[in-house]
Amino acid sequence: MTSEQMAHEPAKRIRAPERAETLSAPAAAAAAPTPTAPAPDRPVRPERMPTASATARGSFRVRSALAGLHRLGSNRPFAVALASVLLLVALVSGVISGPSRGIRLFFGTGYESVIDRGHWWSPLTSVFFVDNGAELLLALAGALVLLGFAERLMGTRRTVIAFLITSILGAGIGLGAQYLGVAGGEMWSRGVSELWATDPFTPMFGSAVAASYFAGPLWRRRIRVLGLSTVLVLVLYSGQPSDLYRLLAAVVGLGVGWLWRPPLRVTSWRRSSDHETRTLLAAIVGMVAVGPVITIFSGARFGLLAPLGMLLTQDVPTAGEVVDRCLLGDITRQCVQELSLERIGGAGPVLVSLLPLLTLVVAAFGLARGRRFAAWLAITINTGLALLAAWYYGLLPISGQDYVWQWHSGRYWEVTLILVVSVLVPLAVALVILGHLRRFPVASRAGVRRRFVLVTFGSLTALATFYIGIGWLLRAHFRPAVTLLDLLADLPERFIPVGFLRLERVSFLPADPLATALYDGVGAAFWIVVFVGAILCLRSASVGPTADAPGQLRTLLADHGGGSLGFMTTWTGNSLWFTASGRTAIAYRVVNGIAITTSEPVGPPSEAAEAVAFFARMCDDHGWVPVFYSLHESWHPVFNAMGWHTMQVGEETLLNPSGWSTTGKKWQDIRSSVNRADRAGVRAVWTSYRALSLAQAAQIAEISEQWVQEKELPELGFTLGGLDELRDPAVRLMLAVDDAERVHAVTSWLPTYRDGEIVGYTLDFMRRRPDSINGVMEFLIAQTAERMQQSTQIEFLSLSIAPLAPAAGPRQGGVADRLLEYLGRTLEPVYGFRSLLAFKRKFQPEFAPVFMAFPDPVALPEIGFALARAYLPSLSMREVVTLMRGLSQ
């Protein structure tokens, strides 16, 4: 949208019939209207709602909520029914602590339940019970979200069938595997044979995965990657029977969905295969990072990777629980789980154990966005985890000791295998990422990665020196007193997660708070530096135009125009992207991972579809969501062919200068404004900023600054111009100047070109003095239209866009359209979008809808937040309070 900032005059100077005359501004812009001065055709908003009205409003909300629940039940009856059954069963069997032991034994499923006791019905009945109140809340959400989503995609009948099949086969196949394992003496099967499972999530995951075949490409990938990653993490790190049943149910769901699969819908633009690979690798890295949390909070640690998770926990043992090193061949499960180190707990050890995992999570986000630095970060951390695990479990020789590989034939071989796998998994992850480095093309800005390495090693060196130096000064504060060699030998352990040190003998411990702070703090400080540095480095993706890009863009604008808003692409703050031919340019801004174009692509129509597709692929490579903003109707076919979604974001108001006339009753306000200016001796001056005298430039700056200071909210940006944009030599100004050379108001007009000729102008900047004559803005616009009427090559005048204010009444359509309608109503007291539209109606314009296009409706909340940040990048907390106060009026 363009930037005509709405400059509302104080209420005492505004006459109600001419409320719109005080508007000095644009689409989406500016300050809140004064409550005591309503816009034309708008009733005065009362300061307080009468009590009866408040009661009626509350009653309306209740009825709306009930109607919403009724619609949900009508559209997703099975999901609502299952949620109701889960809630009812929980109320009967126990909401907080879950069902009693007798109920679990009769309805729960597991090896002992089905094989030993013959409870053949338990695979189905077990899915209607939960273990506790927290799981009940998750189950209710899962029923309404996962099953509701599946029911919407593939219908109620198929959802019920998928629910039953995945419930029975998921547990049935798992029980068969346990039976074979117990018969063969396999350790896991014997260890979990007495566990009873009550789990409503097994058929939920199975049904959701089956429904993925009915979803579009983006949702299909999300359901499968997130669903299968979740159940796989639980199996590997928790390893309880219910985790296995859940994984098998998801696999069965894939088969069921494949049998029912609808014809594949293919669009001309699809996310790249590189993106798919990056998403999978990010999910795997996230699994390695989140998995230890599952181990920590799991009631039973039976998973294949449980030992790796236990290494990243911090157990504080009771006194005297120090255990000698267990050799590999002699180790038992009890030994793996109970070996611990007598170390002092506190914030430092917790951070040293937690921050490496959080850094891996940061790396996973970076991998999904194609960051090369994130790939190297994940490789480094996973390799370190593998080496430390191998050292801890005795797979690597220990310095200073004779290394003997002890393999006792047939004894605890499964434990040995588990430990080996725990070492190989992070190492394999590092090697896989290393083999796919080419799929992470986004480099950090010049010097950022080098600075991260220098800061990391510099902080490590400084902290190590600090620990040894201060530790030597405080040597008497440790028990026993330490020597310099003791401190040097202990130094590596200060930076390693506590779990990896459980088998290490303790040489000394701090004896007072000062020594404890040094002992625990240096490692925590180092990992904080790594964590924060990784975030900063990942936020510094290097993508930008060449030095001659602005000149190249202006050449394209002169040849092709880029639409009525195309000149905004030249503004500071935009990034520029060009097609390989250099004939099409797209200006955009990246906000929170959303790449928002400033206007339409600038270039020949023959390259339009190709440019959009390649720009979207570039965003995909960088992990951004592309959003094409401020598009006109002519672009609809391009995005419809790609299968993208579109949403109207405003109305552009257009004037035809060749047919300009102010005769007739409907033009009375405009004629009155022109006559008033004539009587006051105010004339219109068509000029440019460079042609202004010093006095005129100073007055315009004063008008703008006064306007900004009077407003409680900041000046808007992005597609809304300010003083800096006025200074462009191509921008024209229309000033209202009186006989004393006093500037009353200013408007700016952005040019639109075709084949090197100006064919139109778009209104951008609008501001006026608080004490200027009424109707001065109408006067300036009318004078501009009359001037353009004399130029035969001028085809249009655009009064820019009125966002969130449709010209033809309420929008019709989906949830997104209703959301925009709601935002337009609620933001009106703050920014007066509809008052701006009412002001523009005085000129009897033609209305042209403007829309945005985006590939994924799931990203709409992120897109909305990114747009808000683009328009208000400097919004302070005080201004947020002001904004919310305006919304509540």
Side-chain angles (χ1 to χ4, degrees), residues 593-862:
I594 308 296
I596 312 168
T597 66
T598 306
S599 68
E600 302 166 351
V602 180
S606 59
E607 273 195 1
E610 182 182 9
V612 169
F614 278 101
F615 177 79
R617 187 170 293 275
M618 183 277 292
C619 294
D620 176 47
D621 288 339
H622 287 79
W624 302 330
V625 176
V627 176
F628 282 81
Y629 195 64
S630 299
L631 302 175
H632 292 88
E633 287 286 347
S634 60
W635 287 86
H636 259 302
V638 173
F639 293 98
N640 288 340
M642 294 171 62
W644 283 31
H645 301 265
T646 59
M647 179 188 302
Q648 184 177 335
V649 293
E651 301 272 3
E652 184 176 18
T653 47
L654 299 170
L655 305 180
N656 181 6
S658 62
W660 173 260
S661 174
T662 58
T663 60
K665 184 176 181 181
K666 59 185 178 182
W667 292 94
Q668 180 61 45
D669 284 347
I670 306 301
R671 292 198 303 270
S672 299
S673 299
V674 174
N675 293 334
R676 190 180 300 114
D678 290 341
R679 291 195 298 269
V682 174
R683 68 186 187 277
V685 177
W686 182 253
T687 185
S688 66
Y689 193 88
R690 289 189 176 183
L692 296 176
S693 66
L694 290 177
Q696 289 175 326
Q699 289 184 69
I700 291 174
E702 178 189 0
I703 292 171
S704 180
E705 185 64 23
Q706 186 175 10
W707 180 88
V708 172
Q709 289 179 353
E710 286 180 352
K711 306 306 170 186
E712 293 184 280
L713 291 174
E715 194 173 7
L716 299 183
F718 188 33
T719 58
L720 307 170
L723 273 178
D724 292 337
E725 286 70 32
L726 266 62
R727 296 184 172 94
D728 192 295
V731 174
R732 306 297 292 179
L733 306 180
M734 183 65 88
L735 309 180
V737 183
D738 62 18
D739 294 336
E741 298 302 319
R742 185 169 184 259
V743 178
H744 287 248
V746 57
T747 59
S748 72
W749 299 86
L750 310 179
T752 299
Y753 299 89
R754 187 190 309 125
D755 299 327
E757 297 288 336
I758 296 178
V759 296
Y761 283 99
T762 299
L763 180 63
D764 177 35
F765 187 88
M766 292 178 66
R767 292 190 186 167
R768 65 190 292 268
R769 289 187 183 276
D771 58 348
S772 63
I773 60 172
N774 285 325
V776 68
M777 287 302 171
E778 287 90 333
F779 164 70
L780 287 180
I781 294 175
Q783 292 298 300
T784 304
E786 288 187 10
R787 184 180 183 87
M788 295 304 108
Q789 191 177 33
Q790 302 169 11
S791 302
T792 56
Q793 77 273 17
I794 301 300
E795 300 175 3
F796 70 89
L797 277 183
S798 171
L799 302 186
S800 75
I801 300 168
L804 303 177
R811 294 180 175 90
Q812 302 295 325
V815 175
D817 288 329
R818 293 197 294 271
L819 174 62
L820 285 181
E821 176 69 19
Y822 170 77
L823 289 176
R825 290 196 311 269
T826 55
L827 290 176
E828 174 64 19
V830 181
Y831 285 116
F833 299 126
R834 302 182 183 200
S835 300
L836 174 62
L837 185 61
F839 165 73
K840 293 178 179 180
R841 284 184 186 276
K842 293 183 178 183
F843 300 93
Q844 312 305 316
E846 296 178 6
F847 291 96
V850 177
F851 68 97
M852 70 175 177
F854 48 95
D856 185 7
V858 177
L860 268 177
E862 297 176 78

Side-chain angles (χ1 to χ4, degrees), residues 550-575:
Q552 186 180 355
L553 172 64
R554 289 185 181 262
T555 300
L556 293 176
L557 281 171
D559 293 338
H560 305 289
S564 58
L565 308 178
F567 196 81
M568 296 177 186
T569 59
T570 65
W571 290 355
T572 301
N574 291 327
S575 298

Side-chain angles (χ1 to χ4, degrees), residues 34 49 56-57 63 149 167 173 182 252 316 351 356 371 373 394 431 446 590 599 633 656 707 717 799 811 863:
T34 307
M49 190 75 69
R57 185 171 58 181
R63 290 196 302 270
F149 190 76
S167 297
I173 297 173
V182 171
V252 171
V316 181
L351 289 175
R371 304 292 196 263
F373 171 79
L431 292 175
V590 179
S599 68
E633 287 286 347
N656 181 6
W707 180 88
L799 302 186
R811 294 180 175 90
I863 293 172

Side-chain angles (χ1 to χ4, degrees), residues 428-443:
V429 170
L431 292 175
V432 170
I433 296 174
L434 184 63
H436 289 85
L437 271 179
R438 64 178 181 83
R439 300 184 187 273
F440 302 94
V442 186

